Amino acid sequence: MEKRKELAKNDPAYAQIVCRCETVTEGQVLEAIRRGARTISAVKMMTRAGTGRCQGGFCCPRVAEILSRELNIPLDEITRHGGNSKLLVGKTKEFLLEKGAE
Amino acid sequence: MSNNKNIATPDGRQDVLIIGAGPAGVAAGIGAKKEGAENVVVLERDWDLGGILQQCIHPGFGLRTFREELTGPEYMHRFIKEAHEVGVEFRTNTMVFQIDKENNSVWTMNKERGIECLNPKSIVLTMGCRERPLGAIRIPGTRPSGIYTAGTAQRFVNMEGYMPGKRAVILGSGDIGLIMARRMIWEGAEVEGVYEVMSWPGGLRRNIAQCLDDYGIPFHLKTTVTKIHGADRLEGVTVAEVDDKMTPIKGTERFIECDTLLLAIGLIPENELSRMAGIEIHPVTGGPVVNDLLQTSNPAVFAAGNVVIVYDLVDNVSDEGLIAGANAAKFAAGKISPDIKKIPVKGGQNVRLFSPQFITGEKDTIIYMRVTHPIEGACKVTAEPGLYTQRLRYARPGEMNEARIKASAVKANPNLKEIIVDVQPI
């Protein structure tokens, strides 16, 4: 508790919850990215975000957004564990247009 | 609008502190203010109000409450507007991470406020529910990307504007899965089919008709996913029919190529905080044991909505929120007697779960229940001894039943020892 209070005081990102099940803060996710995490799995291993009772149901979209923002890459380029394990396959409207063109 | 001035009571304590600003929490705020509570605060961990209804952009909400068909955000907007008008204070981006059972202290975390400890006179738990994840059903095979609970996929599509895949299989027939099947079609993806391990649908009949039948999406009962294929991205699943013991039948296996598997395999009330607060949790509903005032085993703590029992309709959730909020306000004002009468409710042979579990007889009340086995024909809901009877055309596990109990009927029977609710064929 004291450590949480201290961290939250110095950097508000440590008082912003990303993973509600394991009480992982945005500060912890940012720290993991600074230390080299590039995928959802890496963030999970380093912070416990996504290891709790909902298994990433709530935090997966949030962690993906933070990765996308911090690494400056589009959301649909974020992978679960590298390689071809992309989370998303494109934007909704693009997707419909593509189909219409076929 | 969202930051009403904090009108603290002289001792700085909130009269009613509500945890979660979804439909139950916002209604609880309104209920508490209307009952006369001065300082009513709703805490919300998300940056915006409305809970999961924010991503429910399809229509079908509010048919009971407003007699019109609204989308989730429209429905919520009406309640949020009223809550602001009556002076409910909301704190967003505020996560409750601990409740001390000794003194009901509530610990919160927020970017601007840091870590705080609140000591309210009463608490309303309105944390809602969460989806059962893949881990809950142990399917053999790999764990590639492309597997989501229906609600997570719904967030990606409806709020972020991204598609989780192009060809989906849906496992489970809960309402969010059915709604997402239609959404995937609308957004240009294919839905190969919906697979349900039980011999009846998990969701509402109207959603089967409007989301599957209208789009020709095949619906397979007594069939489940038995294996997941693919290393990086999902490449396909194996499905198989199951026997009466839910064991896959050899020879019925079939490989389906797909890049997405959506799970709609049930919802679980979100009660980690309730457990921390030492509140008694019902083993079947997974929510707090409550009386008809929606008071939990801790007299200062009330609970409403999907955190108590997973409802079919948001209208019921809002109704229960109003009741819990009003009673929490009464408790804060010392208007609820500690030795209130409590008549236990019991479920009959064909009732799997029900809420509330105790009746005080202080007011008219509704006992909500789900049947264990479907009845496809004339049947009736009863609350014995002789408190309620209602004929029905059918009863299904995916659709809740109600028994309406009159306070006058409870008061008229001073020897009432228990109430038994059941749904049986006629």
Side-chain angles (χ1 to χ4, degrees):
Chain A
M1 180 74 78
E2 286 313 309
K3 193 173 174 213
R4 276 196 186 281
K5 274 190 183 169
E6 178 79 31
L7 282 168
K9 217 172 170 185
N10 295 331
D11 180 355
Y14 284 90
Q16 179 66 47
I17 291 292
V18 172
C19 165
R20 39 177 90 166
C21 306
E22 294 293 315
T23 329
V24 178
T25 62
E26 188 177 356
Q28 288 168 275
V29 175
L30 292 172
E31 190 183 320
I33 296 171
R34 274 200 298 275
R35 291 168 62 187
R38 293 293 177 267
T39 65
I40 299 285
S41 289
V43 172
K44 183 172 171 178
M45 286 299 287
M46 292 172 77
T47 65
R48 298 188 60 80
T51 62
R53 58 190 187 272
C54 88
Q55 292 288 296
F58 284 106
C59 69
C60 167
R62 279 145 211 252
V63 172
E65 271 171 63
I66 298 171
L67 279 165
S68 161
R69 188 183 75 211
E70 294 301 313
L71 303 173
N72 200 22
I73 51 176
L75 193 59
D76 50 359
E77 292 293 320
I78 303 295
T79 66
R80 181 178 183 271
H81 53 253
N84 187 34
S85 66
K86 285 180 188 170
L87 293 179
L88 303 161
V89 298
K91 289 190 175 169
T92 47
K93 300 305 173 233
E94 285 174 4
F95 198 64
L96 261 182
L97 288 172
E98 226 174 84
K99 197 169 177 183
E102 271 170 21
Chain B
M1 278 282 272
S2 68
N3 284 315
N4 285 334
K5 233 175 152 184
N6 185 1
I7 323 147
T9 38
D11 53 2
R13 296 173 70 191
Q14 292 77 21
D15 292 310
V16 181
L17 185 68
I18 300 160
I19 305 175
V26 175
I30 296 169
K33 282 304 278 191
K34 284 190 170 170
E35 190 58 42
E38 187 83 11
N39 184 355
V40 177
V41 176
V42 186
L43 306 174
E44 169 55 48
R45 54 189 160 194
D46 201 357
W47 62 274
D48 204 359
L49 309 175
I52 221 69
L53 276 194
Q54 292 176 79
Q55 67 185 50
C56 297
I57 60 174
H58 51 280
F61 299 95
L63 280 166
R64 282 200 190 185
T65 308
F66 299 111
R67 304 214 174 276
E68 53 182 313
E69 206 173 27
L70 305 171
T71 65
E74 284 169 339
Y75 178 92
M76 257 342 281
H77 178 74
R78 296 199 181 182
F79 279 90
I80 292 168
K81 190 163 169 276
E82 186 179 359
H84 284 308
E85 282 163 7
V86 297
V88 176
E89 183 195 332
F90 289 100
R91 291 186 196 166
T92 54
N93 282 324
T94 303
M95 167 95 180
V96 174
F97 62 96
Q98 190 173 316
I99 301 178
D100 298 336
K101 59 177 145 189
E102 301 75 29
N103 51 8
N104 301 330
S105 293
V106 175
W107 292 83
T108 66
M109 209 189 271
N110 168 279
K111 262 189 173 180
E112 281 87 38
R113 291 167 171 265
I115 289 171
E116 284 180 299
C117 180
L118 309 174
N119 293 290
K121 291 177 189 166
S122 72
I123 297 172
V124 185
L125 305 172
T126 51
M127 292 88 77
C129 60
R130 67 187 147 90
E131 298 176 281
R132 279 179 78 206
L134 183 63
I137 52 170
R138 297 194 200 99
I139 305 174
T142 53
R143 292 292 178 267
S145 71
I147 306 172
Y148 297 103
T149 57
T152 305
Q154 189 177 47
R155 186 187 162 97
F156 272 129
V157 177
N158 292 0
M159 295 189 75
E160 322 284 344
Y162 284 90
M163 290 298 286
K166 297 190 173 183
R167 183 174 158 86
V169 162
I170 299 180
L171 175 60
S173 55
D175 288 308
I176 317 168
L178 304 175
I179 296 283
M180 274 312 287
R182 178 177 63 179
R183 176 65 57 189
M184 294 293 279
I185 297 283
W186 280 350
E187 298 295 349
E190 280 175 65
V191 179
E192 196 278 337
V194 177
Y195 296 85
E196 169 61 59
V197 72
M198 305 300 280
S199 50
W200 54 77
L204 298 173
R205 184 61 55 155
R206 75 170 199 222
N207 283 334
I208 306 274
Q210 295 171 9
C211 301
L212 302 187
D213 297 351
D214 282 358
Y215 300 87
I217 300 170
F219 183 31
H220 308 268
L221 290 169
K222 295 189 82 172
T223 312
T224 192
V225 171
T226 55
K227 194 162 184 193
I228 294 167
H229 307 267
D232 283 349
R233 179 77 199 192
L234 182 68
E235 286 160 20
V237 295
T238 303
V239 296
E241 291 169 29
V242 299
D243 61 19
D244 290 335
K245 288 182 184 135
M246 292 214 263
T247 315
I249 303 169
K250 273 208 160 49
T252 64
E253 299 95 349
R254 179 160 67 89
F255 177 79
I256 300 166
E257 202 185 315
C258 60
D259 66 357
T260 310
L261 175 64
L262 299 184
L263 306 171
I265 53 176
L267 299 167
I268 309 167
E270 175 90 333
N271 276 291
E272 277 57 32
L273 285 173
S274 324
R275 287 197 184 89
M276 222 181 257
I279 284 161
E280 189 190 345
I281 302 292
H282 194 279
V284 183
T285 60
V289 170
V290 289
N291 62 21
D292 54 352
L293 307 178
L294 298 179
Q295 189 176 32
T296 68
S297 62
N298 176 337
V301 181
F302 295 73
N306 286 351
V307 78
V308 175
I309 187 170
V310 177
Y311 291 89
D312 294 339
L313 304 176
V314 69
D315 308 61
N316 299 137
V317 169
S318 299
D319 290 347
E320 297 290 283
L322 287 168
I323 294 169
N327 287 317
K330 278 188 191 161
F331 181 89
K335 288 186 204 157
I336 291 182
S337 153
D339 45 28
I340 200 162
K341 189 171 153 189
K342 275 181 163 186
I343 303 154
V345 180
K346 295 205 169 134
Q349 216 184 356
N350 196 29
V351 169
R352 187 165 63 87
L353 42 76
F354 58 90
S355 179
Q357 287 81 22
F358 292 96
I359 299 291
T360 60
E362 296 286 312
K363 62 171 189 65
D364 292 354
T365 195
I366 300 174
I367 301 173
Y368 294 92
M369 69 195 94
R370 279 187 202 284
V371 294
T372 312
H373 297 288
I375 304 171
E376 296 298 333
C379 52
K380 61 178 179 179
V381 187
T382 54
E384 298 294 351
L387 296 168
Y388 183 77
T389 308
Q390 174 70 47
R391 287 176 66 99
L392 301 168
R393 283 181 291 127
Y394 60 83
R396 296 171 185 143
E399 303 186 19
M400 268 186 155
N401 296 108
E402 299 173 359
R404 290 167 185 268
I405 309 292
K406 287 243 175 272
S408 54
V410 176
K411 287 212 169 97
N413 187 348
N415 298 320
L416 198 56
K417 291 278 183 297
E418 62 179 19
I419 296 171
I420 299 173
V421 290
D422 207 355
V423 184
Q424 290 292 345
I426 302 176

